[in-house]
Amino acid sequence: MTYSKIYDYCVQKNFFKNHDKVLIAVSGGVDSMNLLHFLHLYKEQLEIEIAIAHINHKQRQESDLEETYLKSWAQENKIPIYISHFTGAFSEEKARAFRYDFFKKVMFEESYTALVTAHHVDDQIETIMMRLVRGSLLRYLSGIKEVQTITEGQVIRPFLTLRKEDLPAIFHFEDASNAGQDFFRNRIRNHYLPLLESENPRFSESLLSLSQESTLLLEALSDLTTSLDFQDRSVFSAQTDAVQFYLLQKYLTAFPNLQLSRKQFQELLHILSHKKEGHFPLKQGYELILTDSLFFIAKISPETESNFQELLLEYDSSISFPPFKFTFSDEKADRSGEFIIPLFSLEPITLRKRQPGDKIDFGSFSKKLRRLFIDEKFSIKEREEAIVGVQENQVIFVLVAGQTYLRKALNSDIIKAKLYIEK
């Protein structure tokens, strides 16, 4: 396939519509070198700035040659390049985690909103096969996504509908270790898939069909259960075992780093059914938190952060709760702020993160913050960063992703002060 057809596909899918700065993961192989040349050729048409991110895994003699070549190419073409060297005992899993940690770090520090990788159809087939052999849950058999949301922005894979053989032949580095049997993916690629295709020449197509059908099935189930507030334990427990199984899988998609095995998933279901309240460690620094009425999964916060989760703001004073400064002052004060909230009491205000059971009164109805965040489609990161203001045991405001939600005032309420919020 020519680059012009790939460009047309990118435009059709609006891959780069919301991105100005794009980071390209480049290993030096034929697929990533094609990705680099394609995006460099079409960067003006796509209206993006590009940069290279490269990991030298230090596993082959050619690794240093690849790094030197990419540095030279970047300098010649005036493209920023970011390089890191893998350290520690090498494994496929550790190398992948190292790569993505580095990519996210660069994205965060240098304000790139998209990471572009050169995954193609062959990678997709191998990934589905690997997950099938490992006994992954059905949800993970849907394979690699073309666009995936991460905290720092998006991962975009514009080659995911292409076979490797469809890519133009350009200068690249060949990794001789790909022909070996040392790593699981290599064994899938070089041994298991050819063996199964000798039985069924269309076996790879069957894997892709399985992936697509899994995706459609899960989307259909999601559509049918979208109105269920399933983190409410009474709602969750009222469902059949089959629906509970699906709903928990659906919830886990919000935590892509939390890849539970089938056994761990069953243990999680068991805890939800048999435990009343408590904190239950999972993996990757996550824990399941059960209250009398709710369940949710959260990162285990270091003890050093606990004192920062709640601050008390007295009348006629200011306090910093990053990224904002809050000033509780007389309503007649000559002040300005990005947000100004009328207050009907001079009692202290508690500034904190959201807690289970929080709800805000909108007058004719009240709404749990968890439901509000879901309905308004705030991301997990935005929910975690939301700031809640509590006065006289009532939530009086919620500040989330630049938006402010206020408690409905009573007709008898009289403004006594204001809360000025500045960045």
Side-chain angles (χ1 to χ4, degrees), residues 339-352:
F339 307 105
I340 301 175
I341 298 174
L343 299 172
F344 310 100
S345 169
L346 300 182
E347 291 299 308
I349 300 169
T350 298
L351 302 174
R352 60 168 172 78

Side-chain angles (χ1 to χ4, degrees), residues 180-194:
Q181 304 290 324
D182 293 341
F183 300 115
F184 185 33
R185 184 176 288 274
N186 288 355
R187 294 194 294 276
I188 291 288
R189 177 188 302 134
N190 301 323
H191 179 65
Y192 299 133
L193 281 174

Side-chain angles (χ1 to χ4, degrees), residues 122-147:
D122 303 72
D123 295 317
Q124 181 76 291
I125 292 167
E126 292 162 12
T127 297
I128 297 166
M129 184 66 179
M130 289 169 71
R131 292 177 180 178
L132 197 61
V133 172
R134 285 171 170 160
S136 296
L137 295 166
L138 178 65
R139 177 169 299 281
Y140 302 122
L141 298 186
S142 57
I144 309 169
K145 293 179 171 56
E146 272 192 324
V147 179

Side-chain angles (χ1 to χ4, degrees), residues 227-293:
S227 62
L228 289 179
D229 188 7
F230 61 85
Q231 284 179 260
D232 184 317
R233 296 185 70 183
S234 62
V235 173
F236 186 81
S237 62
Q239 309 308 311
T240 64
D241 289 348
V243 175
Q244 286 184 17
F245 186 94
Y246 161 73
L247 288 174
L248 185 56
Q249 279 203 27
K250 177 183 177 181
Y251 179 55
L252 288 173
T253 60
F255 310 94
N257 295 328
L258 184 60
Q259 298 268 331
L260 297 182
S261 67
R262 193 174 297 276
K263 180 181 178 182
Q264 291 166 333
F265 181 81
Q266 292 293 348
E267 289 171 351
L268 192 57
L269 273 175
H270 180 81
I271 292 171
L272 281 171
S273 301
H274 294 85
K275 301 294 183 180
K276 291 185 177 179
E277 296 184 19
H279 292 236
F280 302 87
L282 300 175
K283 58 190 288 191
Q284 304 293 343
Y286 287 94
E287 64 179 347
L288 171 69
I289 301 173
L290 300 183
T291 71
D292 182 53
S293 58

Side-chain angles (χ1 to χ4, degrees), residues 121 124-126 128-129 132 138-144 160 163 193 197 200-218:
V121 167
Q124 181 76 291
I125 292 167
E126 292 162 12
I128 297 166
M129 184 66 179
L132 197 61
L138 178 65
R139 177 169 299 281
Y140 302 122
L141 298 186
S142 57
I144 309 169
L160 204 52
R163 298 298 298 242
L193 281 174
E197 286 174 341
N200 174 11
R202 304 189 67 177
F203 180 74
S204 292
E205 293 177 35
S206 298
L207 282 181
L208 290 174
S209 296
L210 172 65
S211 170
Q212 292 160 0
E213 288 186 28
S214 300
T215 300
L216 289 174
L217 173 63
L218 294 171

